[in-house]
Amino acid sequence: MMDKRNGTDRPRLNLALQGGGSHGALTWGVLDALLEDGRWHLDGVSGTSAGAMNAVALAHGFAQAAQAHKDPEDAHQAGCALARESLTRLWEGVGALGSLTWGTPLSAANPLVGVMSQWFSPYQTNPLGFNPLRSLLEREVDFGLLCSAHTGKAGMTGPRVFVCATNVRTGRGEIFSGPRLSVDAVMASACLPMVFKAVEIDGESYWDGGYSGNPALYPLIYQTDTSDILLVQINPVEHREVPSTAADILERMNEVTFNASLLAELRAIEFVRRLLAEGKLDPRRYKNVRMHRIDGGSVLAPFGADSKTRADLAFVRKLFALGRTAGQEWLHAHHKDVGVRPTIKITDNA
């Protein structure tokens, strides 16, 4: 589908961004390649955990551009540039924080978690809820501007953002968007329950969105007009070897858990596509979603599970470079497929 509302033929694309600790820096590289390319009208971005951080940083650049430029084409070009700058500042900030970001002693990838969590909770080990990512996000992203942009007060030309967190009480995923988009929502989306206290929003408590949607695809299906979704996946679906160490077993358990809801949504998309092709569903009521994917899991596999908590600047920049290459390769191979056909075949093992 092309964006003709502003007299352009720019192809429309939704983004779905997985979480995965510092591995989200690879997604930064992918986004940088897409923004540098500049041909896309980004309609919606769904993100979880580090994916949510990437989503709000990207949208912040477009919101700034919309505030400064009345002409839609000028706003788009400026938005691409400002989004790249916003993402760079965010991840350079993560690199400056280093081990304080995801490398805390109670990091989820640390083998001590399984032992210490039998005796201590983050309400004991981190009673003040210290998380350096909060201050970094508050410094780099103007959430007031994002909210006003999404409610039409700033002439928004950039993507809508959908952040997924898991309601602790109900166990269901909840999407934060529009006026509910906040630093609390992003921190809730990244709240690992054995590392941080649950984040409270409007009287409800939330944990990491990966348990219920990593990332959630349904808001992109139901709340945007765009049929193409590019999934940037940084958690591997398959492993060739069965893990044998305690740390590797725990990490594989996390990967399976954090991919489960995504695989279920992918299978549902394929089911609807098949029924549409057979003429059993009304195409006026059901969207024929075309899925695309950049598989960062295979790129990141050599680094191992522990690297999700490594956030030194050299490592973050290395992942960025790998992500840029992956993004450029996808653009070269599949940019002509957007709006025409899906580029991944969704099966039971997706």
Side-chain angles (χ1 to χ4, degrees):
M1 181 184 294
M2 299 291 183
D3 179 23
K4 294 183 179 294
R5 291 175 298 179
N6 296 320
T8 67
D9 291 329
R10 187 172 293 117
R12 299 168 67 89
L13 187 64
N14 283 328
L15 301 175
L17 312 178
Q18 273 200 329
S22 62
H23 286 182
L26 182 133
T27 303
W28 165 35
V30 170
L31 296 176
D32 192 77
L34 293 174
L35 293 165
E36 182 183 54
D37 181 76
R39 82 185 75 186
W40 309 99
H41 174 91
L42 300 177
D43 200 3
V45 185
S46 177
T48 295
S49 193
M53 291 171 48
N54 279 317
V56 296
L58 181 148
H60 183 244
F62 281 99
Q64 289 177 306
Q67 190 178 52
H69 298 274
K70 293 182 179 180
D71 179 75
E73 186 60 28
D74 290 343
H76 174 80
Q77 297 298 329
C80 289
L82 289 170
R84 294 178 72 189
E85 293 174 8
S86 180
L87 285 159
T88 298
R89 288 195 304 272
L90 174 66
W91 284 100
E92 294 281 338
V94 167
L97 290 171
S99 62
L100 287 175
T101 310
W102 282 286
T104 60
L106 280 179
S107 170
N110 192 315
L112 290 176
V113 169
V115 176
M116 295 187 67
S117 64
Q118 299 180 43
W119 308 103
F120 303 105
S121 82
Y123 293 81
Q124 298 167 294
T125 60
N126 189 11
L128 299 179
F130 173 72
N131 190 334
L133 286 175
R134 173 181 288 272
S135 58
L136 175 61
L137 278 169
E138 288 175 331
R139 184 174 73 244
E140 299 299 341
V141 177
D142 184 344
F143 284 91
L145 176 61
L146 273 185
C147 290
S148 64
H150 282 294
T151 54
K153 297 178 182 178
M156 183 65 168
T157 62
R160 293 189 63 191
V161 175
F162 306 97
V163 169
C164 182
T166 303
N167 186 304
V168 178
R169 181 178 60 84
T170 67
R172 298 175 180 173
E174 188 162 339
I175 300 299
F176 293 87
S177 189
R180 298 191 71 202
L181 200 57
S182 66
V183 67
D184 283 335
V186 178
M187 298 314 300
S189 183
C191 179
L192 292 169
M194 296 313 300
V195 182
F196 302 108
K197 296 164 59 176
V199 177
E200 291 192 12
I201 302 174
D202 297 330
E204 294 282 1
S205 297
Y206 296 91
W207 282 338
D208 196 294
Y211 296 109
S212 52
N214 191 24
L217 302 181
Y218 66 88
L220 299 174
I221 297 171
Y222 294 109
Q223 298 186 46
T224 76
D225 296 327
T226 298
S227 296
D228 288 85
I229 299 175
L230 173 59
L231 168 65
V232 184
Q233 195 166 0
I234 57 178
N235 283 323
V237 175
E238 295 184 354
H239 269 281
R240 294 182 178 181
E241 299 179 358
V242 176
S244 57
T245 69
D248 287 344
I249 291 171
L250 178 62
E251 177 60 21
R252 186 57 182 153
M253 288 170 58
N254 287 335
E255 288 172 351
V256 171
T257 300
F258 280 12
N259 277 328
S261 57
L262 172 64
L263 294 179
E265 285 197 276
L266 289 173
R267 286 192 289 269
I269 288 170
E270 184 66 14
F271 180 62
V272 170
R273 281 183 55 83
R274 187 167 66 248
L275 293 180
L276 285 168
E278 295 172 354
K280 296 178 179 179
L281 290 179
D282 185 351
R284 295 171 298 181
R285 297 185 58 192
Y286 294 90
K287 183 183 288 186
N288 193 1
V289 176
R290 294 177 291 269
M291 287 299 306
H292 314 273
R293 173 168 57 193
I294 293 176
D295 183 11
S298 60
V299 177
L300 293 163
F303 294 102
D306 290 347
S307 64
K308 287 185 178 181
T309 63
R310 178 183 171 187
D312 58 276
L313 192 55
F315 184 63
V316 166
R317 287 173 173 168
K318 183 173 185 177
L319 296 187
F320 166 77
L322 290 172
R324 265 188 63 86
T325 298
Q328 290 166 343
E329 289 176 348
W330 181 84
L331 285 167
H332 177 73
H334 296 300
H335 75 273
K336 292 182 179 179
D337 294 313
V338 175
V340 178
R341 63 181 65 85
T343 55
I344 59 171
K345 180 175 177 56
I346 302 168
T347 61
D348 284 342
N349 59 5

